[in-house]
Amino acid sequence: MSFNWEIKVANPVLIDGMSFRVRYKKKPNGSWLDFLPNPTTNIFTITNLDEEEYTAEIKTVCADGTLSTPSFLDSPCYGGGGGGDDDTPPLVNIHWTDMSSSPDKEYTTDNFNLNIAINATDAENDIVLTELEVSSNNVNWSVQSAITNQIVQVVGTKPTSYYYRVKVTDSKNNTATSNILSVKYKEVIVRDLQITNIQGVYPATCGNEGEEINFDIIGKPNEIVKFQMKCIEVVGHNFNFVINTDTVASAFTWGTVQNGATKDGTLTLNSQGKIGCNAKMCLRPCLNEAYSTATIEFTLYNSDGITLSNQKLRFNAYQDCNI
């Protein structure tokens, strides 16, 4: 005697280019046999089976050839009949619809919008309830919604982390819970050196300031920013240089600056991740130089020494004493 085993796969519904990869074996220790050709419909039949119980392994083959996590299904009692008293729980697994190999995703924008595919099977094809569960810590779970489709949309907003799983229940109240997918917020700090409000050149008294340049350093709140200044393209005499911030006068000074010289320093950003700076080039008093100009190259670094920004500022200064 033999029987035919009709298998109905509820999820996912196959579309063009998709199929199932199926193999089956006798329980408990039979050898796996491939069922060919790959089914391209959600209902297919394995024929001429011995009067034994069987297990089938089913994987979804996506249009690009990637495979889903397998689902396993047990046959009803041999002869293809009955099975009405089968208490075998259903099976369910989930994956991102883009078939990402990793179950974990990150988002860096204010919100995200993603889709999850659900693959659920049951020996008697009597799944009565499919629920999407969500957690923010992978510990405490709640039901977000009941699901009637094989694709479910999930959305979220920063900075929350989201964990998703699916629970299915059959008519005999047997349940199964899927694997877990996650979406976590990743903060991207944009640091830059912004140049604003260049004041221009103005005549100064002997030894006084020349051109001023205002700029902001923007980064992470309360961050200590490392920077280096390098003097290039000097015309005229050596000079002094000072940076005032919006909180500290003369927060950084550099005396007798020569061509090619460098100077390192640090500045601490405020709680909003910003500090305003005012840089001035000063001619040394009465050195018989009426004019001097130089380019100061600013380079910002993070705590790991990685360059974040590089900016060149051109300074000019005049004096009216010629001794």
Side-chain angles (χ1 to χ4, degrees):
M1 295 286 293
S2 62
F3 74 100
N4 299 330
W5 181 15
E6 183 182 75
I7 297 177
K8 299 178 181 179
V9 181
N11 299 307
V13 175
L14 297 183
I15 58 176
D16 288 345
M18 296 176 64
S19 62
F20 293 122
R21 180 172 295 179
V22 181
R23 61 178 186 169
Y24 60 97
K25 68 176 182 178
K26 289 183 181 180
K27 296 176 65 175
N29 298 316
S31 299
W32 286 108
L33 299 172
D34 292 327
F35 178 71
L36 298 172
N38 287 356
T40 56
T41 61
N42 283 71
I43 301 176
F44 53 91
T45 302
I46 303 175
T47 60
N48 297 318
L49 296 175
D50 295 335
E51 294 181 346
E52 305 283 349
E53 292 188 7
Y54 288 80
T55 294
E57 178 194 82
I58 304 172
K59 295 181 181 180
T60 302
V61 183
C62 297
D64 62 1
T66 55
L67 296 174
S68 72
T69 303
S71 295
F72 295 91
L73 185 66
D74 290 334
S75 69
C77 297
Y78 68 84
D85 296 326
D86 188 358
D87 287 331
T88 303
L91 296 168
V92 59
N93 64 72
I94 59 177
H95 60 82
W96 301 112
T97 54
D98 63 5
M99 295 304 295
S100 300
S101 58
S102 173
D104 305 313
K105 286 185 176 291
E106 293 179 339
Y107 68 107
T108 58
T109 55
D110 290 343
N111 49 63
F112 67 86
N113 186 325
L114 297 167
N115 291 314
I116 294 174
I118 303 165
N119 184 11
T121 58
D122 183 75
E124 296 183 307
N125 197 31
D126 63 350
I127 293 174
V128 295
L129 180 62
T130 303
E131 296 172 306
L132 176 67
E133 297 184 338
V134 64
S135 171
S136 61
N137 56 15
N138 202 16
V139 176
N140 302 311
W141 294 85
S142 61
V143 175
Q144 178 169 304
S145 62
I147 303 168
T148 57
N149 298 315
Q150 288 78 48
I151 304 294
V152 60
Q153 183 183 70
V154 293
V155 297
T157 56
K158 72 174 188 181
T160 305
S161 294
Y162 297 84
Y163 299 84
Y164 299 100
R165 67 186 186 187
V166 169
K167 180 180 179 181
V168 294
T169 306
D170 67 15
S171 61
K172 300 179 182 62
N173 210 34
N174 297 314
T175 62
T177 303
S178 74
N179 54 304
I180 295 172
L181 304 179
S182 72
V183 188
K184 299 175 183 177
Y185 178 66
K186 180 179 180 180
E187 184 178 18
V188 176
I189 301 297
V190 179
R191 300 174 174 90
D192 199 2
L193 183 63
Q194 297 182 359
I195 306 303
T196 62
N197 191 25
I198 297 178
Q199 301 294 323
V201 179
Y202 62 92
T205 59
C206 180
N208 235 332
E209 297 89 356
E211 187 174 57
E212 299 181 13
I213 294 183
N214 298 319
F215 58 91
D216 294 333
I217 298 176
I218 297 175
K220 192 175 181 179
N222 304 311
E223 181 177 18
I224 297 176
V225 176
K226 299 179 181 180
F227 67 92
Q228 182 183 83
M229 297 193 304
K230 181 177 181 180
C231 181
I232 57 178
E233 302 172 2
V234 174
V235 177
H237 205 280
N238 300 339
F239 58 91
N240 298 329
F241 192 81
V242 62
I243 295 179
N244 304 304
T245 71
D246 48 15
T247 56
V248 180
S250 299
F252 184 86
T253 58
W254 191 8
T256 317
V257 182
Q258 301 179 39
N259 191 41
T262 61
K263 183 79 170 180
D264 296 328
T266 60
L267 291 170
T268 302
L269 307 188
N270 62 23
S271 59
Q272 283 75 46
K274 179 180 178 181
I275 191 168
C277 299
N278 170 262
K280 296 181 180 181
M281 174 183 176
C282 312
L283 285 176
R284 297 176 65 199
C286 298
L287 290 174
N288 200 28
E289 293 287 345
Y291 172 78
S292 192
T293 182
T295 297
I296 304 295
E297 184 178 60
F298 284 83
T299 304
L300 293 180
Y301 303 91
N302 66 9
S303 58
D304 297 322
I306 299 174
T307 300
L308 300 175
S309 179
N310 184 280
Q311 180 71 49
K312 293 179 180 179
L313 305 179
R314 188 73 172 173
F315 290 85
N316 301 279
Y318 293 92
Q319 66 178 12
D320 56 9
C321 64
N322 292 287
I323 298 175

